[in-house]
Amino acid sequence: METPGRRFGSAVVIGSSMAGLLSARVLADHFDKVTLVERDVRVEGPAARKGVPQGPHIHVLLDTGRRILDKYFPDLFEQLQVQGAEFIDSSGDLAWHHFGVWKLRRTSGIPGLLCTRPLLEWNVLRRVKARPNVEVREGCSIEGLISDEKGTGRITGVRVKTPQGEESWEADLVVDASGRGSRMPQWLEAIGYARPEEEQVIVDLSYTTCLHEPPPHFQKEWKALFLYPSPPKAWRAGFISHVEGGRWLVTLNGYFGEHAPTEYAGFLEYARSLTRPDLYNYLKEATPIGPISQHKVKDCRWRHYEKLPRFPEGLVILGDAACAFNPLYGQGMSVAGLGAELLDTCLREQAERGELSGLAQRFRERLPEVIRLPWLLGTGMDLLYPQAVGKRPFGLGLLHWYILRLMERTSTDAHVHRQFYRILHLHAGLEAVLQPSVALPVLGHGVMSLLRPLERLANTETRPPPFTPPSPSPVPVQKSTG
């Protein structure tokens, strides 16, 4: 990538999770100095840490997130594969039961990355640290913002608690990538700004995870097995993913307080309670490795900073600090990447103008373009459950009916399946599943569902085998007449 000719002074990034790491990488192209502030003191190597409690659990990197990581770290995935990570076809290598049906297994051409989050994050961190103008300050926490005493409405730095005591750091730009626990609403209020309006859907979700050694006789008929619940009647899910070291990462999820036990007999029994027996049948012959980890997520939350009537210059908020998604749908890292990419675009525009003034306003007004679709997809799924607490907009019932029929159709219709994958990986907007070539068969399926049970319209029971593309037809050889 070409680096802009105009560079700015100093920037501070709060938090070194994926949103913070990507932000620091972007800022390194635009600022003379970038300081990445992290409360945790990391150990060397890929290890879970307190500041990312979701770290030990299964993660999905959508293809949009893969593209962005590859853009800013061109050798990342090659090195991850050397360390045991694996790329799979996100449809052909995935056995996925969703909304009561098995999805087709086709060669999608959309790669999926299988590895633990600590391995991915550690490799990204190493590359960010290697940037000569990036400094990572661990064991430090941001305590508040510093605003211009002249009343210009600009953030000029941060107050930091370091091992040596509290300090004040100057900065031309502050980026909040501190995640769900962001204290930005309180910090803004402390310097005279309003708190943002919050949109919230309460789901009371838990992640309970344990690494396993696969059974020795496992035939490798899939590289990941996903058993999603069938709303609104069931709200327990289970996942198995191959990860580095030839291991299985097994995660069990439950909505509305139905959390899997953290002792192994209960963990296994919870797996047995899923609507499909497949995961339990594999798990009962696998060998657990190490402790069981649990992480609870009360809600998904969008803080609408773009709606504030006043907002200070010199401040950008992205990642979970702006919008925290339900992790069940694997959107968080990819949307954080899109936010960092948008920041890059905005900074390039500012470089052409030769100043930073206007960046904060431009970024906060455009960030909803990044968030809106994944937010609609995720909360739309959650609100299928009557127990979920959140605003239900007019027409949601009709949208839910269409989503249910669409998901059922992905079991039998290759084109509908392909278009669903495009929107899932954020390659396209809602138009991908509303165009006539998708809408007509989905609506036709809906009509037939009034007359026939689902098991006669879709594959509800038989897990599809690995997809083998058909062999090309032989080309007839013409005999020479010479």
Side-chain angles (χ1 to χ4, degrees), residues 285-340:
E285 298 181 357
T287 303
I289 310 169
I292 296 175
S293 302
Q294 189 169 80
H295 173 55
K296 297 178 182 179
V297 178
K298 177 187 176 184
D299 60 10
C300 38
R301 182 193 313 122
W302 185 356
R303 288 172 168 162
H304 288 281
Y305 288 102
E306 76 281 1
K307 295 183 179 180
L308 287 176
R310 294 175 56 248
F311 192 81
E313 280 290 352
L315 178 64
V316 161
I317 306 163
L318 51 71
D320 283 3
C323 186
F325 296 90
N326 182 338
L328 193 65
Y329 308 118
Q331 300 166 315
M333 288 194 291
S334 297
V335 177
L338 287 168

Side-chain angles (χ1 to χ4, degrees), residues 234-253:
W235 45 84
R236 294 184 177 188
F239 308 89
I240 302 178
S241 171
H242 283 260
V243 294
E244 66 275 10
R247 302 167 296 172
W248 281 355
L249 190 63
V250 181
T251 293
L252 303 177
N253 297 91

Side-chain angles (χ1 to χ4, degrees), residues 74-134:
D75 68 334
L76 171 65
F77 294 115
E78 178 183 338
Q79 290 302 309
L80 280 169
Q81 288 174 289
V82 170
Q83 297 167 34
E86 184 178 5
F87 270 112
I88 65 169
D89 186 278
S90 61
S91 173
D93 293 320
L94 169 64
W96 186 359
H97 196 266
H98 195 195
F99 282 83
V101 303
W102 288 104
K103 293 192 184 302
L104 284 172
R105 295 182 68 178
R106 313 284 295 177
T107 299
S108 68
I110 300 176
L113 176 69
L114 299 186
C115 70
T116 60
R117 171 160 177 162
L119 182 68
L120 173 61
E121 192 171 293
W122 178 62
N123 275 274
V124 174
L125 173 65
R126 289 169 57 207
R127 284 157 176 77
V128 171
K129 280 184 171 181
R131 308 293 295 190
N133 57 335
V134 175

Side-chain angles (χ1 to χ4, degrees), residues 56-373:
H57 307 283
I58 195 167
H59 279 74
V60 173
L61 180 65
L62 302 180
D63 191 51
T64 289
R66 180 207 57 80
R67 173 189 64 78
I68 293 169
L69 282 169
D70 190 51
K71 173 181 176 180
Y72 292 111
F73 307 103
D75 68 334
L76 171 65
F77 294 115
E78 178 183 338
Q79 290 302 309
L80 280 169
Q81 288 174 289
V82 170
Q83 297 167 34
E86 184 178 5
F87 270 112
I88 65 169
D89 186 278
S90 61
S91 173
D93 293 320
L94 169 64
W96 186 359
H97 196 266
H98 195 195
F99 282 83
V101 303
W102 288 104
K103 293 192 184 302
L104 284 172
R105 295 182 68 178
R106 313 284 295 177
T107 299
S108 68
I110 300 176
L113 176 69
L114 299 186
C115 70
T116 60
R117 171 160 177 162
L119 182 68
L120 173 61
E121 192 171 293
W122 178 62
N123 275 274
V124 174
L125 173 65
R126 289 169 57 207
R127 284 157 176 77
V128 171
K129 280 184 171 181
R131 308 293 295 190
N133 57 335
V134 175
E135 179 184 14
V136 178
R137 293 288 302 271
E138 296 182 343
C140 301
S141 63
I142 304 298
E143 298 300 306
L145 304 172
I146 301 172
S147 59
D148 186 0
E149 295 179 355
K150 297 178 181 179
T152 61
R154 173 177 287 278
I155 301 302
T156 58
V158 289
R159 292 186 291 105
V160 191
K161 182 184 289 185
T162 74
Q164 292 75 39
E166 188 164 303
E167 301 176 6
S168 296
W169 295 354
E170 293 184 356
D172 297 292
L173 180 67
V174 174
V175 176
D176 181 11
S178 58
R180 286 178 176 267
S182 168
R183 292 184 286 165
M184 188 55 68
Q186 297 94 308
W187 293 343
L188 285 174
E189 194 172 44
I191 59 172
Y193 291 87
R195 287 174 174 247
E197 171 190 330
E198 292 192 5
E199 192 173 350
Q200 184 183 44
V201 176
I202 299 174
V203 292
D204 193 9
L205 176 73
S206 70
Y207 266 47
T208 311
T209 297
C210 185
L211 280 164
H212 288 71
E213 290 283 356
H217 54 78
F218 176 60
Q219 298 299 307
K220 299 182 179 180
E221 55 264 36
W222 43 261
K223 295 182 179 178
L225 172 68
F226 289 180
L227 301 182
Y228 271 78
S230 302
K233 297 179 181 179
W235 45 84
R236 294 184 177 188
F239 308 89
I240 302 178
S241 171
H242 283 260
V243 294
E244 66 275 10
R247 302 167 296 172
W248 281 355
L249 190 63
V250 181
T251 293
L252 303 177
N253 297 91
Y255 280 98
F256 314 120
E258 290 197 6
H259 305 158
T262 54
E263 46 82 25
Y264 195 71
F267 183 87
L268 194 60
E269 190 59 32
Y270 193 95
R272 191 208 291 263
S273 75
L274 301 179
T275 53
R276 290 289 313 173
D278 303 73
L279 186 145
Y280 171 75
N281 289 339
Y282 285 110
L283 204 57
K284 66 183 180 181
E285 298 181 357
T287 303
I289 310 169
I292 296 175
S293 302
Q294 189 169 80
H295 173 55
K296 297 178 182 179
V297 178
K298 177 187 176 184
D299 60 10
C300 38
R301 182 193 313 122
W302 185 356
R303 288 172 168 162
H304 288 281
Y305 288 102
E306 76 281 1
K307 295 183 179 180
L308 287 176
R310 294 175 56 248
F311 192 81
E313 280 290 352
L315 178 64
V316 161
I317 306 163
L318 51 71
D320 283 3
C323 186
F325 296 90
N326 182 338
L328 193 65
Y329 308 118
Q331 300 166 315
M333 288 194 291
S334 297
V335 177
L338 287 168
E341 190 175 48
L342 173 62
L343 178 59
D344 193 3
T345 299
C346 291
L347 282 166
R348 289 173 185 274
E349 293 170 357
Q350 296 295 142
E352 292 178 359
R353 299 175 59 187
E355 61 176 358
L356 278 174
S357 296
L359 170 68
Q361 308 303 331
R362 177 176 288 109
F363 181 85
R364 73 171 178 131
E365 290 170 1
R366 290 166 63 174
L367 187 61
E369 300 169 14
V370 166
I371 293 173
R372 193 169 290 112
L373 175 62

Side-chain angles (χ1 to χ4, degrees), residues 400-457:
H400 282 163
W401 182 90
Y402 188 83
I403 289 173
L404 286 167
R405 305 291 83 80
L406 173 76
M407 296 303 182
E408 292 167 1
R409 189 72 181 181
T410 61
S411 177
T412 58
D413 190 315
H415 178 66
V416 171
H417 179 267
R418 184 164 53 250
Q419 296 305 314
F420 164 73
Y421 261 72
R422 291 184 66 220
I423 191 172
L424 172 70
H425 287 273
L426 307 179
H427 289 174
L430 285 174
E431 70 280 357
V433 294
L434 295 176
Q435 59 182 290
S437 63
V438 174
L440 291 177
V442 168
L443 294 173
H445 175 92
V447 172
M448 293 303 297
S449 68
L450 301 174
L451 307 173
R452 296 181 183 176
L454 180 59
E455 56 267 23
R456 292 185 60 190
L457 296 174

